[in-house]
Amino acid sequence: MLDLYRPGTSPLHSLSPGPKILVMMAAGTALFLVESLPLVLGALLLTLALYRLAGLTLGDALVQLRPLAPIFVIFLALQYWLSGPVLAAFVVLRLAALILLASLVTLTTRASDMIDTITRALALLRPLGVNPAKVGLAISLALRFIPVLGQITTDVREAQKTRGLERSVIATALPVAIRTLKMADDIADAIEARGYDPRA
Amino acid sequence: MDTRSIVYIALFAALTAALGLVPPISFAGLALPPITAQSLGVMLAGAIAGARRGGLAMLLFVALVAIGLPLLSGGRGGFGIFAGASGGFVVAWPICAAVIGWLVGRAETSPLRLAVAIAIGGILVMYAIGIPWMAVVAKLPLSKAVMIMLAYVPGDLVKVAIAVIVTRGIRRAYPAL
């Protein structure tokens, strides 16, 4: 889910992550402030053109949106019913443009480069008692934990299914929580065993 | 801050992200914040990891969303979120987790006290920040925004109940926490 980086040599790949993130944030905010269907459509087409520039295909772009297909259908239907076809198209196209734009940054930036950039930016906050290295560690760990949590949940659900407990939220949530906390303790021990000094 | 705390902060940020994979119940498109399992992550972070670690875990989560990772339920992310109707609720999360952690404390608590603490931080504080935000973004009168949010209270009470059961279960299995 998060290691989506596609190696390449396009201008988008060679752009450093800082400006890329800033441009994406500005564009994403702008998309939320404009309320015009043609502008959102233009932004979507521009984003698709950028995919082309990055050496990615239309298929790659569609893959980014596929997990959200059911939500798109629900939004489209609800907005059509509530406020008519124009707003429905606007809401869904805006969502698509935002997701494609964010995914483009992810696709053309190594996660490690992204984290390095953030860590460097955080050095500015050092006078406030922020330790950039620790924040960097927390970010890398969080990104790594997300797929692991998904895997643990799948394991526990399968185990509970054999006991006929697949419908119980608690029977899944509690073992998942305990297993992940145990994992967190093991990881903390492993980090310290490798000589990581939290005071450094 | 010790290594274990850093790992816990990352864990609860990741847990909140993982809860976003539970399909949201969205009943009014983007006009209203969807009902998601993610606020359960906020409650658990505060109740299990404590005020400081829980609050920082949510701050980390909000930062990851802001830099454009699609971690909010429904694959939403990026700075645009904060311009939307549910922006205030997301911004409130670090404060909510910290308040829950502070109210729960470290001592052994009765289920009722735990439930009240989680409800205050996870519902009252969250709504106190999220509703005015929503009223401004959606150009709604405050009273109307409050009315809309009443629809979320039953779902949030279910989440409080789950959070209480999970927190007590973990405290029993992990007394050292």
Side-chain angles (χ1 to χ4, degrees), chain A residues 151-170:
Chain A
Q151 184 57 50
I152 291 176
T153 309
T154 310
D155 290 352
V156 169
R157 281 183 108 163
E158 274 169 15
Q160 298 296 40
K161 214 180 219 168
T162 63
R163 303 181 177 103
L165 288 171
E166 72 269 26
R167 286 188 185 282
S168 163
V169 178
I170 299 296

Side-chain angles (χ1 to χ4, degrees), chain A residues 24 29 32 68 71 75 78 91 102 118 134 138-139 141-143 145-146 149 174 177-178 181-182 184-185 189 192 198, chain B residues 1 3-4 6-8 10-11 14-15 17 26-27 29-30 60 66-69 71 74 79-80 83 165-166 170 173-174:
Chain A
M24 185 201 65
T29 309
F32 253 90
L68 293 161
I71 293 159
F75 277 177
L78 261 171
V91 164
I118 296 164
K134 281 189 200 173
I139 293 173
L141 281 172
L143 296 182
F145 278 159
I146 296 167
L149 281 173
L174 207 49
I178 290 169
L181 282 172
K182 176 89 182 64
D185 285 343
D189 289 340
E192 290 197 333
Chain B
M1 186 168 291
T3 310
R4 196 160 306 254
I6 296 174
V7 176
Y8 278 6
L11 178 66
L15 177 71
S26 183
F27 53 85
L30 278 183
L60 174 61
I67 66 164
L69 297 176
L71 300 182
F79 223 67
I165 296 169
V166 171
I170 285 173
Y174 250 77

Side-chain angles (χ1 to χ4, degrees), chain B residues 16 106 168 170 175:
Chain B
T16 308
R106 296 231 128 233
R168 284 180 62 79
I170 285 173

Side-chain angles (χ1 to χ4, degrees), chain A residues 99-167:
Chain A
I99 291 161
L100 286 175
L101 198 62
S103 308
L104 186 61
V105 175
T106 317
L107 285 168
T108 58
T109 316
R110 272 192 199 87
S112 54
D113 290 345
M114 191 110 74
I115 291 159
D116 283 350
T117 305
I118 296 164
T119 316
R120 240 176 298 132
L122 282 170
L124 300 170
L125 296 179
R126 212 184 255 282
L128 297 173
V130 174
N131 183 337
K134 281 189 200 173
V135 180
L137 176 65
I139 293 173
S140 334
L141 281 172
L143 296 182
R144 180 66 194 108
F145 278 159
I146 296 167
V148 174
L149 281 173
Q151 184 57 50
I152 291 176
T153 309
T154 310
D155 290 352
V156 169
R157 281 183 108 163
E158 274 169 15
Q160 298 296 40
K161 214 180 219 168
T162 63
R163 303 181 177 103
L165 288 171
E166 72 269 26
R167 286 188 185 282

Side-chain angles (χ1 to χ4, degrees), chain A residues 5-95:
Chain A
Y5 177 68
R6 295 286 200 82
T9 52
S10 76
L12 282 173
H13 283 87
S14 46
L15 203 65
S16 75
K20 231 185 312 192
I21 294 170
L22 286 177
V23 168
M24 185 201 65
M25 270 166 44
T29 309
L31 266 176
F32 253 90
L33 297 177
V34 300
E35 302 268 334
S36 125
L37 183 58
L39 272 178
V40 167
L41 194 61
L44 185 62
L45 292 174
L46 187 66
T47 309
L48 288 174
L50 287 174
Y51 269 73
R52 208 49 180 287
L53 182 66
L56 299 160
T57 63
L58 202 60
D60 290 323
L62 283 176
V63 167
Q64 309 304 316
L65 295 174
R66 197 186 295 152
L68 293 161
I71 293 159
F72 274 50
V73 172
I74 294 169
F75 277 177
L76 201 60
L78 261 171
Q79 287 288 359
Y80 188 90
W81 177 61
L82 284 172
S83 13
V86 176
L87 199 68
F90 170 73
V91 164
V92 168
L93 288 177
R94 177 166 75 179
L95 192 61

